[in-house]
């Protein structure tokens, strides 16, 4: 058996113990079959780059792989313990010097070497990056990254002309005088964004990103009118249906509150700011049974400005499709919290683009211009003579209007989000904050007595959290003669009550994951007579079942992340009148209405008494409870804890068994490999 065949056999054993996926093995096999001359190191690289994609990395950093092989082949199942695999991988990479690995890759017909004068255009793998940091990609991810880099770079290279006098007047009209000793970052963000065809506004929860972007859109429309140009065609979008619905709920009020009464054409400007929000997928127009969209480079979106909210959830592929569908002169404005979890799919684009946001890195020319139009003189800490083009288009909002950084949820989020210090016992500081804030009723820590979430205190928390919506569902149910409007009103009230509490977890499987937790909660609520019916394995649909859409369904107009509630409603078409189950979803058109679905039509939904933190992104709940599992897991990171905490508006409960698991999460940050930051010169 030659070395390549021996490696395939070794990869098969790694799949058997859960260290690799069948998909990773399939790629290595394909290259082995199609390119028999490819050496074993090429097949190993192919399996590793595919494995890295499954963990959200856009590519494989070859240098880092050799220096830290322990970060690769992380177990995908909680029961998998591939200790022997880690040792085998370390031995393989230890015997493979980087120059030799690169040489094997360059010789393989399966690899396009972007360092070479000519590179094949159809190979499955692409070698790129820099000589100091070579990166290996699957071709589709490399192509998507190149599209993103080209789209952003082209927009950064074309600063837009702005009438400084008009801008100064509009800023003075739209913004109140800043508070003493507080930099008006919202005003600074708007000023920077109007002169760039690509701009980012980042900030934590409650920092006013939505309010700021509404004022920014008013600025853009006001500048267009002042210049004698047509009003801009603007579209608002978010990555998920839930994020779009949340923005829908707030944006109309923000637009109505704009101080435009004393401004020429003020009402015309107000009317030209959209209040309806869609998902990015709906904006692009998904084709049935296809990964392609109606809008692309050959049929671009008929818009002048696109605003993307909750951009931390946007993956590399989706952003590439959006930039591909924009006309070269169209603006892209990006909003999001750079510290939240990255997308479920490959990439952490917002995090890559905002690596230098905290220190600003504005050039002298930018600072001088900002002082002219905003009246703000930036301190030296935000100035950088070597500031890069992207830096001048990024602004970070720093004042939270929702949370006090010195107490409650805001203080907890700031503490969890602090960079790892290398010192142990960070969990002690976090738990001490819970003890200090105990009387505020904002923060509660619940330590479980055993390695199972099924404890009396946990059950009491969950049943109390979901009791309100279940009681509203039962006690306020419409009569058989109720009108459609009355039924819709009731459904909306149940949906609103459902959003007051949410249990979050890090995992999908096991008793600590959504599958086990949902089963436990259904049985619990039935035992307490909050849910009707007896628990059975086959009874999938029941009144009161909250569901989460897990896959885009253009035919039904439902998108991944949409949340609905199963209700028993009067069926008018039956004689005698009967009641039947229907699933209510909030309308996605900004109307505040309801969309009703037959349960039988919903093929990609799951019960959502418990939800993963990833799925909760873009959502807010009055009270959020985050369950930390009993043993460490690679998905438990600072970003996950921070994202879970900041889903809360009024109260947060931390549920844990061992402080050591919390400690491990606080010491681990997500680092996703891509070439975007380096290519845009954003690395420190």
């Amino acid at each position: 058996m030659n070395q390549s065949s021996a490696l395939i056999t070794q990869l098969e054993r790694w799949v058997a113990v859960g260290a690799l996926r069948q998909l990773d093995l399939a790629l290595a096999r394909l290259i082995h079959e199609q390119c028999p001359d490819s050496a074993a190191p090429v097949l190993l690289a192919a399996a590793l780059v595919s494995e890295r994609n499954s963990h959200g990395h856009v590519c494989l950093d070859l240098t880092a792989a050799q220096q830290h092989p322990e970060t690769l082949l992380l177990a995908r199942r909680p029961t998998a313990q591939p200790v022997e695999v880690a040792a085998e991988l370390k031995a393989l990479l230890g015997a493979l010097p980087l120059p030799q690995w690169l040489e094997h890759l360059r010789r393989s017909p399966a690899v396009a070497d972007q360092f070479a004068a000519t590179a094949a255009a159809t190979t499955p793998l692409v070698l790129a990056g820099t000589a100091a940091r070579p990166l290996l990609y699957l071709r589709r991810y490399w192509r998507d990254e190149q599209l993103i880099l080209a789209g952003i770079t082209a927009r950064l290279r074309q600063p837009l002309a702005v009438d400084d006098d008009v801008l100064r007047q509009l800023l003075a009209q739209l913004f109140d005088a800043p508070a003493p000793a507080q930099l008006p970052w919202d005003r600074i963000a708007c000023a920077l964004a109007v002169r760039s065809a690509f701009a980012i506004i980042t900030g934590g929860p409650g920092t006013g990103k939505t309010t700021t972007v509404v004022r920014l859109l008013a600025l853009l429309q006001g500048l267009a009118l002042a210049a004698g140009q047509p009003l801009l065609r603007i579209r608002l979008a978010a990555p998920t249906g839930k994020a779009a619905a949340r923005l829908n709920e707030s944006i109309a009020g923000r637009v109505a509150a704009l101080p435009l009464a004393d401004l020429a054409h003020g009402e015309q400007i107000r009317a030209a700011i959209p209040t309806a929000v869609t998902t990015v997928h709906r904006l692009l127009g998904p084709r049935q049974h296809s990964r392609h969209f109606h809008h692309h480079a050959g049929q671009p979106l008929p818009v002048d400005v696109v605003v993307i909210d909750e951009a931390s959830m946007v993956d590399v592929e989706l952003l590439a499709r959006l930039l591909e569908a924009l006309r070269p002169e169209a603006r892209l404005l990006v909003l999001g919290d750079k510290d939240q979890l990255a997308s479920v799919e490959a990439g952490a684009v917002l995090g890559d683009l905002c690596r230098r946001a905290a220190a600003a890195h504005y050039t002298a020319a930018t600072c001088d211009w900002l002082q002219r139009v905003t009246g703000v003189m930036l301190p030296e800490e935000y100035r950088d003579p070597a500031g890069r083009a992207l830096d001048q288009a990024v602004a970070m909002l720093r004042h939270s209007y929702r949370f006090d950084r010195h107490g409650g949820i805001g203080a907890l989020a700031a503490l969890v989000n602090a960079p790892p210090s290398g010192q142990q016992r960070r969990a002690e500081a976090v738990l001490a904050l819970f003890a200090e804030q105990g009387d505020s009723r904002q923060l509660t820590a619940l330590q479980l007595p055993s390695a199972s979430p099924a404890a009396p205190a946990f059950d009491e928390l969950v049943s109390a959290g979901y009791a309100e919506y279940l009681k509203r569902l039962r006690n306020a149910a419409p009569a058989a003669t109720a009108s459609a409007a009355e039924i819709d009103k009731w459904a909306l009230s149940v949906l609103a009550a459902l959003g007051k509490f949410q249990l979050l977890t890090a995992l999908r499987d096991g008793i600590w994951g959504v599958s086990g937790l949902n089963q436990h909660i259904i049985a619990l609520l039935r035992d307490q007579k909050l849910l009707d019916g007896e628990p059975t394995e086959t009874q999938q649909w029941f009144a009161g079942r909250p569901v989460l859409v897990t896959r885009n369904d253009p035919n039904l107009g439902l998108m991944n992340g949409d949340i609905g509630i199963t209700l028993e409603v009067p069926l008018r078409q039956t004689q005698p009148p009967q009641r039947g189950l229907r699933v209510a979803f909030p309308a996605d058109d900004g109307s505040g209405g309801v969309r009703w679905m037959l349960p039988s039509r919903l093929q990609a939904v799951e019960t959502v008494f418990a939800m993963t933190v990833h799925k909760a992104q873009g959502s807010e709940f009055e009270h959020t409870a985050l369950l930390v599992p009993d043993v460490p897991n690679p998905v438990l990171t600072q970003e996950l804890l921070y994202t879970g905490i900041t889903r809360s508006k009024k109260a947060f409960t931390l549920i844990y068994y061992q402080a050591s698991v919390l400690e491990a999460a606080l010491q681990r940050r997500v680092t996703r490999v891509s070439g975007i930051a380096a290519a845009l010169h954003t690395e420190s």
Side-chain angles (χ1 to χ4, degrees):
M1 183 183 294
N2 61 31
Q3 288 185 337
S4 295
S5 297
L7 181 70
I8 293 294
T9 301
Q10 191 171 20
L11 296 180
E12 290 170 347
R13 287 194 293 103
W14 292 1
V15 170
V17 298
L20 278 181
R21 302 174 299 167
Q22 285 287 351
L23 182 63
D24 309 328
L25 172 62
L27 177 63
R29 278 178 173 160
L30 176 66
I31 292 174
H32 183 45
E33 293 167 1
Q34 299 294 322
C35 307
D37 294 335
S38 291
V42 176
L43 306 183
L44 176 62
L48 290 178
V49 71
S50 178
E51 186 265 352
R52 292 290 80 195
N53 293 155
S54 74
H55 288 285
H57 301 275
V58 177
C59 53
L60 172 68
D61 185 327
L62 297 170
T63 305
Q66 287 209 311
Q67 293 175 347
H68 300 286
E70 71 279 0
T71 64
L72 306 174
L73 302 187
L74 299 172
R76 300 192 62 81
R77 300 196 306 262
T79 56
Q81 299 292 336
V83 176
E84 72 285 358
V85 173
E88 291 175 11
L89 177 62
K90 185 176 182 180
L92 283 173
L93 294 178
L96 184 63
L98 182 60
Q100 183 180 338
W101 201 3
L102 290 171
E103 187 60 28
H104 282 301
L105 290 168
R106 288 177 175 132
R107 288 179 179 176
S108 171
V111 181
D113 181 7
Q114 294 302 311
F115 297 100
T118 58
T122 57
T123 59
L125 300 175
V126 176
L127 181 62
T130 64
R133 187 180 177 237
L135 304 173
L136 186 67
Y137 293 80
L138 292 183
R139 174 165 290 280
R140 73 183 182 94
Y141 284 121
W142 177 80
R143 178 179 177 274
D144 286 344
E145 195 172 271
Q146 296 306 303
L147 285 168
I148 291 170
L149 291 171
I152 292 175
T153 301
R155 285 168 171 79
L156 292 176
R157 286 175 177 169
Q158 299 177 9
L160 303 175
V162 177
D163 187 319
D164 290 357
D165 292 333
V166 175
L167 176 58
R168 189 184 306 110
Q169 294 168 11
L170 288 170
L171 286 169
Q173 178 71 32
L174 289 167
F175 291 90
D176 297 329
Q182 183 176 303
L183 286 173
W185 284 107
D186 50 357
R187 186 182 303 210
I188 292 167
C190 286
L192 289 172
V194 298
R195 68 173 191 169
S196 179
F198 176 80
I200 298 173
I201 299 175
T202 186
T207 51
K209 295 186 291 294
T210 302
T211 300
T212 300
V213 80
V214 167
R215 291 175 178 174
L216 171 57
L217 297 180
L219 275 175
L220 292 174
Q221 297 292 29
L223 288 167
L225 287 174
Q229 299 171 351
L231 288 164
L232 299 170
R233 296 167 297 174
I234 301 172
R235 294 295 303 273
L236 309 178
T240 67
K242 186 64 177 177
R246 184 177 142 211
L247 185 58
N248 253 328
E249 292 169 1
S250 62
I251 197 163
R254 303 289 204 288
V255 173
L258 281 170
L260 300 173
D262 298 329
L263 192 65
H265 310 294
E267 292 311 309
Q268 188 178 359
I269 291 172
R270 194 190 313 276
I273 301 174
T275 56
V277 187
T278 186
T279 64
V280 180
H281 283 85
R282 289 190 184 106
L283 177 67
L284 293 174
R287 294 184 182 275
Q288 292 186 28
H289 313 299
S290 170
R291 295 173 65 92
H292 301 291
F293 296 96
H294 289 288
H295 292 290
H296 45 75
Q299 188 172 331
L301 286 162
V303 297
D304 302 304
V305 181
V306 172
V307 179
I308 303 300
D309 193 25
E310 295 288 357
S312 62
M313 291 187 282
V314 176
D315 59 87
V316 165
E317 182 180 11
L318 186 58
L319 183 58
R321 299 292 80 75
L322 176 60
L323 282 164
E324 208 173 22
L326 290 179
R327 294 176 297 115
E329 64 272 21
R331 299 175 186 243
L332 179 60
L333 306 177
V334 175
L335 307 178
D337 185 345
K338 66 181 180 63
D339 296 316
Q340 279 190 31
L341 279 170
S343 62
V344 175
E345 304 299 330
V349 183
L350 185 66
D352 283 340
L353 297 175
C354 293
R355 286 193 184 183
R356 291 160 55 97
H361 296 280
Y362 298 143
T363 63
T366 295
C367 292
D368 290 345
W369 180 79
L370 283 171
Q371 187 173 1
R372 287 199 305 274
V373 298
T374 69
V376 177
M377 179 180 291
L378 286 171
E380 284 298 320
E381 63 187 289
Y382 300 120
R383 296 169 178 256
D384 182 358
R388 294 145 192 177
L390 180 60
D391 297 328
Q392 317 312 304
V394 177
M396 178 174 166
L397 306 181
R398 300 157 198 259
H399 176 71
S400 178
Y401 299 93
R402 184 186 310 162
F403 300 135
D404 181 357
R405 287 179 60 87
H406 302 290
I409 296 171
L412 178 62
L415 181 59
V416 166
N417 199 38
S421 61
Q423 300 175 350
Q424 295 300 309
R425 300 182 178 178
R426 290 192 68 194
E428 287 186 8
V430 168
L431 294 174
L433 182 61
F434 278 91
E436 294 169 8
Q437 302 291 322
D439 293 337
S440 71
R441 304 189 71 176
Q442 263 197 24
L443 301 179
T444 305
L446 173 61
Q447 185 170 17
L448 299 172
S450 62
S452 169
F458 173 81
D459 290 350
E460 182 181 350
L461 170 72
V462 170
S463 59
Y466 290 125
E468 181 177 346
Y469 100 84
L470 290 169
K471 289 177 180 176
R472 186 179 296 267
L473 178 147
R474 177 182 297 174
N475 299 336
T481 56
S483 66
E486 290 172 327
I487 296 173
D488 284 358
K489 183 179 179 181
W490 169 64
L492 288 171
S493 73
V494 175
L495 283 165
L498 175 66
K500 290 188 176 182
F501 175 81
Q502 183 63 53
L503 175 66
L504 302 179
T505 182
L507 308 178
R508 288 202 54 80
D509 301 318
I511 62 171
W512 298 85
V514 292
S515 57
L517 288 168
N518 279 316
Q519 291 175 16
H520 173 76
I521 293 170
I522 291 171
L524 170 69
L525 296 176
R526 282 187 168 132
D527 286 345
Q528 297 184 350
K529 308 303 181 186
L530 291 169
L531 276 177
D532 293 329
E534 293 298 323
T536 66
E537 293 183 2
T538 58
Q539 188 182 4
Q540 180 182 19
W541 290 101
F542 51 86
R545 182 194 182 196
V547 294
L548 175 78
V549 177
T550 59
R551 187 175 65 239
N552 294 337
D553 190 335
N555 294 328
L556 296 181
L558 294 174
M559 293 293 157
N560 186 6
D562 288 349
I563 291 179
I565 183 72
T566 311
L567 300 173
E568 191 176 64
V569 297
L571 304 179
R572 292 183 181 77
Q573 66 271 29
T574 61
Q575 291 297 331
Q578 298 177 359
R579 304 179 77 88
L581 295 181
R582 297 292 184 269
V583 186
F585 290 90
D588 65 342
D589 56 5
S591 65
V594 180
R595 290 177 293 166
W596 293 96
M597 299 287 170
L598 280 167
S600 59
R601 299 194 68 192
L602 301 174
Q603 302 302 312
V605 295
E606 61 186 29
T607 304
V608 72
F609 285 114
M611 180 192 301
T612 62
V613 177
H614 262 111
K615 290 291 187 181
Q617 284 185 268
S619 302
E620 284 184 344
F621 311 95
E622 289 192 12
H623 181 187
T624 301
L626 174 62
L627 179 66
V628 177
D630 60 333
V631 295
N633 189 292
V635 304
L636 280 173
T637 62
Q638 278 185 279
E639 289 86 351
L640 183 135
L641 295 175
Y642 171 83
T643 303
I645 292 164
T646 54
R647 299 311 87 208
S648 307
K649 291 193 288 187
K650 294 182 178 179
F652 174 76
T653 300
L654 175 70
I655 311 166
Y656 71 103
Y657 171 56
Q658 296 188 94
S660 59
V661 178
L662 181 62
E663 182 67 51
L666 289 165
Q667 295 291 343
R668 185 185 296 116
R669 287 195 74 92
V670 174
T671 302
R672 287 193 170 180
V673 180
S674 81
I676 290 177
L680 289 172
H681 309 291
T682 58
E683 291 185 331
S684 301

